[in-house]
Amino acid sequence: MKILVTGGAGFIGANFVYFQLQNHPEDQIVCVDALTYAGNLETLAEAMKNPQFKFVKADIADRAAMDELFAAETFDVVVNFAAESHVDRSIENPEIFLKTNIMGTQVLMDCSRKYQVSRYHQVSTDEVYGDLPLDRPDLFFTEETPIHTSSPYSASKASADLLVQAYHRTFKLPVTISRCSNNYGPYHFPEKLIPLMIARALADQSLPVYGKGENVRDWLYVEDHCSAIDLIIRKGRVGEVYNIGGHNERTNLEVVQTILRELGKPESLINYVTDRPGHDQRYAIDPAKISSELGWTPATKFDDGIKKTIQWYLDNRSWWEHILSGDYQNYYAQMYANR
Ligand code: NAD
Ligand code: TYD
């Protein structure tokens, strides 16, 4: 099988590339990534050594480039991770979110139709469901929960989901969609809560907690997300949406306190800052459908996953220090200078 992984130089896409190369060594993986600020080719350095893996630098919204790629490669499966993914950036400047997350999805689906891929998988997010109130711990997102978005980011992801469903209904494109809760683990870009707090705590810098830190996220170890997508593309039913999450809800304050405790740093580093506009209160996934249909269960509990993640950031300082210094953006030029 030949799989196109878009956005594979980012956090989850890269973890998925490694998951596939390890668990399905017979499959070929082509990664396309525009290497935006969030894409880091250093992350894929090990994959580059594998003859089953190939990297192509291109923008998923560039129709000519995607057509050329699909014509040259004959993909069986497309898994679309490529996206602008940071809510705070979408509040600062929504436009690129619409271009990449919506138009990019459309271009990929047009090519998937034209070149007859057998599965187009859209990596979506639980944020398309909006949020749940903090005082109703009995409520969870199911696949039937109405789409109800809050940020330009979630609105762009929801728009893409609707388009994916339209391409299935109208053109019979064989699609699946997964909607996952917040991920954490290796290669997470240090602008997101967990890696940001680890990096700043290690440098004894203040930790900016939005509002009172009482917002709740449902944290999933990234490898569990990868195993779920792997099951969906191989065994999931065409046209279906699958929620992915593992009942690991924590308030932001609990997450930050756990990181400080694990690193032996004082809580006096916590700095409560002005809340994010439109800040979603609580996300919580009901994974009953993927569990019962595909037998998926998450392997890693938050208390273990956060320890593994902190250890990874301690063991791989150069990876995130290159990001903080900006050096990672020179890597592509170095790698491809003589090719
Ligand atoms: P990320 O920001 O770490 O990585 C995104 C990758 O996409 C980067 O490598 C970037 O260079 C690439 N990219 C951006 N625009 C592109 C374009 N126009 N063409 C080609 N490549 C482009 O994001 P992530 O956290 O790994 O998220 C991956 C996917 O998973 C996204 O679709 C996101 O919406 C979804 N998701 C993320 C989470 C989470 O907690 N991070 C949870 C649920 C769903
Ligand atoms: P984030 O990692 O940006 O993911 P998302 O907004 O997609 O859930 O943020 C996770 C939570 O942490 C969210 O409630 C916002 C909060 N947060 C902070 O309190 N401080 C920060 O510096 C960041 C980046 C996030």
Side-chain angles (χ1 to χ4, degrees), residues 7 9-13 32-36 38-39 58-61 80-85 100 123-125 153 157 180-183 188 192 225:
F11 165 44
I12 308 173
V32 67
D33 197 298
L35 298 181
T36 69
D59 183 337
I60 59 162
N80 182 25
F81 290 94
E84 289 293 332
S85 67
T100 292
V123 180
S124 185
T125 164
Y153 163 67
K157 294 294 290 186
C180 190
S181 59
N182 287 62
N183 284 215
H188 204 179
K192 305 284 172 66
H225 189 184

Side-chain angles (χ1 to χ4, degrees), residues 6-15 31-40 56-62 66 80-86 96 99-101 104 122-127 153 157 178-184 187-189 191-192 219-220 222 225 229 244:
T6 74
F11 165 44
I12 308 173
N15 277 281
C31 166
V32 67
D33 197 298
L35 298 181
T36 69
Y37 82 92
N40 183 356
V56 177
K57 182 175 186 284
D59 183 337
I60 59 162
D62 179 341
M66 287 306 109
N80 182 25
F81 290 94
E84 289 293 332
S85 67
H86 191 39
I96 185 68
K99 180 162 183 260
T100 292
N101 299 2
Q122 179 74 0
V123 180
S124 185
T125 164
D126 62 354
E127 301 193 28
Y153 163 67
K157 294 294 290 186
S178 54
R179 295 181 179 146
C180 190
S181 59
N182 287 62
N183 284 215
Y184 68 104
Y187 304 118
H188 204 179
F189 198 83
E191 67 179 354
K192 305 284 172 66
W219 293 98
L220 187 71
V222 63
H225 189 184
I229 294 174
I244 309 172

Side-chain angles (χ1 to χ4, degrees), residues 38-308:
N40 183 356
L41 205 54
E42 288 183 5
T43 305
L44 293 173
E46 272 308 303
M48 297 286 208
K49 297 177 190 159
N50 189 323
Q52 296 292 83
F53 178 81
K54 183 165 151 187
F55 179 80
V56 177
K57 182 175 186 284
D59 183 337
I60 59 162
D62 179 341
R63 192 171 285 279
M66 287 306 109
D67 195 275
E68 195 181 319
L69 179 66
F70 275 72
E73 296 285 353
T74 318
F75 298 119
D76 300 295
V77 174
V78 174
V79 184
N80 182 25
F81 290 94
E84 289 293 332
S85 67
H86 191 39
V87 172
D88 292 326
R89 286 179 188 258
S90 82
I91 295 168
E92 290 300 311
N93 183 8
E95 192 166 337
I96 185 68
F97 285 73
L98 308 194
K99 180 162 183 260
T100 292
N101 299 2
I102 306 173
M103 303 306 287
T105 297
Q106 190 215 356
V107 168
L108 289 173
M109 288 196 298
D110 284 342
C111 292
S112 298
R113 274 184 76 202
K114 181 172 171 188
Y115 294 98
Q116 299 184 336
V117 305
S118 51
R119 179 67 65 85
Y120 175 88
H121 182 74
Q122 179 74 0
V123 180
S124 185
T125 164
D126 62 354
E127 301 193 28
V128 302
Y129 299 123
D131 62 352
L132 298 163
L134 291 176
D135 60 358
R136 289 294 306 275
D138 55 313
L139 297 180
F140 297 91
F141 297 136
T142 73
E143 290 79 1
E144 273 70 53
T145 302
I147 301 272
H148 184 85
T149 56
S150 313
S151 69
Y153 163 67
S154 56
S156 70
K157 294 294 290 186
S159 305
D161 281 14
L162 295 176
L163 207 53
V164 173
Q165 287 171 322
Y167 268 58
H168 174 60
R169 167 98 185 229
T170 308
F171 303 122
K172 307 277 181 286
L173 186 70
V175 306
T176 37
I177 296 175
S178 54
R179 295 181 179 146
C180 190
S181 59
N182 287 62
N183 284 215
Y184 68 104
Y187 304 118
H188 204 179
F189 198 83
E191 67 179 354
K192 305 284 172 66
L193 180 75
I194 288 179
L196 180 81
M197 297 299 167
I198 295 172
R200 289 187 67 88
L202 283 171
D204 295 308
Q205 292 169 329
S206 66
L207 308 188
V209 170
Y210 298 164
K212 295 182 187 149
E214 60 193 9
N215 305 60
V216 171
R217 296 293 182 265
D218 184 0
W219 293 98
L220 187 71
Y221 194 63
V222 63
E223 204 173 280
D224 285 324
H225 189 184
C226 295
S227 72
I229 294 174
D230 183 49
L231 269 177
I232 295 169
I233 61 175
R234 288 163 203 276
K235 298 189 181 145
R237 283 186 296 138
V238 165
E240 293 294 312
V241 174
Y242 293 92
N243 282 356
I244 309 172
H247 291 301
N248 281 293
E249 290 178 52
R250 295 287 187 285
T251 66
N252 293 339
L253 190 56
E254 284 169 340
V255 170
V256 172
Q257 286 169 330
T258 303
I259 292 169
L260 287 171
R261 206 168 44 246
E262 289 295 325
L263 292 175
K265 299 287 182 180
E267 289 202 7
S268 55
L269 287 178
I270 294 174
N271 180 27
Y272 294 95
V273 299
T274 307
D275 210 352
R276 171 186 281 172
H279 198 171
D280 280 337
Q281 294 186 58
R282 171 175 168 252
Y283 302 143
I285 284 276
D286 176 356
K289 179 173 173 181
I290 189 167
S291 301
S292 64
E293 264 191 34
L294 304 181
W296 176 82
T297 46
T300 303
K301 289 260 167 271
F302 185 77
D303 291 341
D304 302 324
I306 192 72
K307 286 198 179 83
K308 276 204 277 189

